[in-house]
Amino acid sequence: LSDTDVTFKENKEKRARIVNQCYASDEYRKIRMTYYDAGDSVQVFNSVWYPDPKYNLPVLGIDILSFNRKKYLAIVDFQPLHEDEDDHATTYEHILQPIKEKYDNLKGRMSSKFYDETQFFSKEMLFARFEDGKIVDNDLLPAFKSYVKTHLNLVQSTPPSTNPQDVQAVFDRQRAYDTYSADRDPAAGLFAAMFGKQWAEDFIYDFLFSLGERSEDGLNLSPPMFGGPPPGAAGKGGPPQKGVNPYAKENKAAQSVPRL
């Protein structure tokens, strides 16, 4: 565990700054939020909500990005801890499906360059690339609010486990999620370029995905390539821009499984 302070970091020369906050509650082991500000060129909000391990439920993942206030990328998902939805304490995709169904602009598919859609992503993921700023207020914001509210309701309505082995199993799956995500974080290259490689590694492994194991191969510094617009939505988004990195996207000693 490094002593790096990730609360605030700024690169004045490149006019970029990043702010991070982290919270915990009875229902959530960790709620982290990151805001990256590089002026009009790049704006990013990223957040992950980890339920307390006594709840065998998916992680809530959020990425909302703006480029030059002309192009936008959004991902909101109940990220499963298990390959089979039925292995969670409560099924949830049937709750998300009617929300997603309302918003055709949020039905895109992301590229497999960094992530495998079959691992830690649900079938009801909201994904969108678009250029029409009206979609933010008309589609993205209400859908985002609905997903956050639904995740909170899911946690609060699910009986917590009292079996230490079950709690440990969920904690281990959250650890696997962090390791998988840290190794593939498409923001790594931008963090390293803006704030230095060592800071980027400490930030990713000690804050963003703090249960993850550091990769012996180091960070993946390749530029990300995400998916295109929803099927049939040609002209609303366009293909991914090659070579463009869209991201500006606790204490480990305290990260033991909470006692029941």
Side-chain angles (χ1 to χ4, degrees):
L1 179 66
S2 73
D3 294 326
T4 302
D5 181 6
V6 300
T7 305
F8 176 80
K9 185 72 171 177
E10 184 176 20
N11 184 326
K12 293 184 178 180
E13 180 181 351
K14 297 182 179 180
R15 298 182 180 181
R17 56 186 177 177
I18 189 169
V19 178
N20 302 284
Q21 295 186 0
C22 190
Y23 302 92
S25 69
D26 291 340
E27 296 91 353
Y28 289 92
R29 176 182 67 81
K30 177 180 180 181
I31 300 174
R32 64 165 176 80
M33 293 181 285
T34 293
Y35 178 57
Y36 176 85
D37 172 24
D40 286 346
S41 61
V42 182
Q43 297 279 316
V44 180
F45 174 73
N46 166 261
S47 184
V48 179
W49 299 39
Y50 299 80
D52 187 279
K54 61 179 176 283
Y55 300 105
N56 181 16
L57 294 171
V59 170
L60 174 63
I62 302 161
D63 276 302
I64 302 174
L65 308 92
S66 169
F67 313 107
N68 297 312
R69 300 191 184 278
K70 295 180 180 179
K71 295 185 178 182
Y72 304 87
L73 172 68
I75 306 170
V76 184
D77 193 21
F78 282 30
Q79 300 188 254
L81 295 180
H82 313 285
E83 291 186 14
D84 192 332
E85 183 190 9
D86 291 335
D87 289 339
H88 297 82
T90 305
T91 57
Y92 52 90
E93 289 191 351
H94 68 285
I95 306 174
L96 300 177
Q97 192 275 335
I99 301 174
K100 182 178 179 179
E101 192 61 32
K102 297 178 183 178
Y103 306 103
D104 289 340
N105 290 314
L106 307 182
K107 297 178 181 178
R109 297 285 298 275
M110 69 178 177
S111 165
S112 60
K113 179 177 176 61
F114 282 84
Y115 297 106
D116 178 354
E117 278 189 338
T118 65
Q119 295 192 57
F120 300 113
F121 290 99
S122 80
K123 296 178 182 178
E124 301 304 329
M125 172 180 59
L126 302 178
F127 183 93
R129 285 178 54 99
F130 54 91
E131 298 180 7
D132 184 357
K134 294 180 180 178
I135 293 176
V136 174
D137 291 328
N138 296 339
D139 296 346
L140 179 57
L141 184 58
F144 162 76
K145 288 181 176 179
S146 294
Y147 266 49
V148 172
K149 182 177 180 180
T150 299
H151 195 271
L152 178 59
N153 290 340
L154 183 68
V155 174
Q156 292 181 333
S157 64
T158 299
S161 175
T162 57
N163 184 325
Q165 292 182 334
D166 290 343
V167 175
Q168 182 65 53
V170 173
F171 188 78
D172 289 343
R173 289 306 299 163
Q174 290 189 1
R175 185 188 300 278
Y177 167 88
D178 270 14
T179 298
Y180 177 87
S181 301
D183 289 346
R184 293 162 176 79
D185 192 338
L190 185 56
F191 292 148
M194 289 294 178
F195 308 119
K197 187 174 184 293
Q198 188 58 56
W199 187 93
E201 288 191 357
D202 292 343
F203 177 57
I204 289 174
Y205 288 110
D206 293 338
F207 178 76
L208 292 184
F209 305 108
S210 49
L211 293 183
E213 297 294 330
R214 292 198 181 223
S215 171
E216 295 182 357
D217 298 329
L219 290 173
N220 180 1
L221 302 180
S222 303
M225 184 189 305
F226 291 100
K236 291 187 178 180
Q241 299 299 305
K242 294 183 179 180
V244 176
N245 194 319
Y247 282 84
K249 192 143 100 106
E250 58 226 79
N251 189 329
K252 284 202 172 182
Q255 290 179 344
S256 57
V257 178
R259 294 183 179 179
L260 300 172

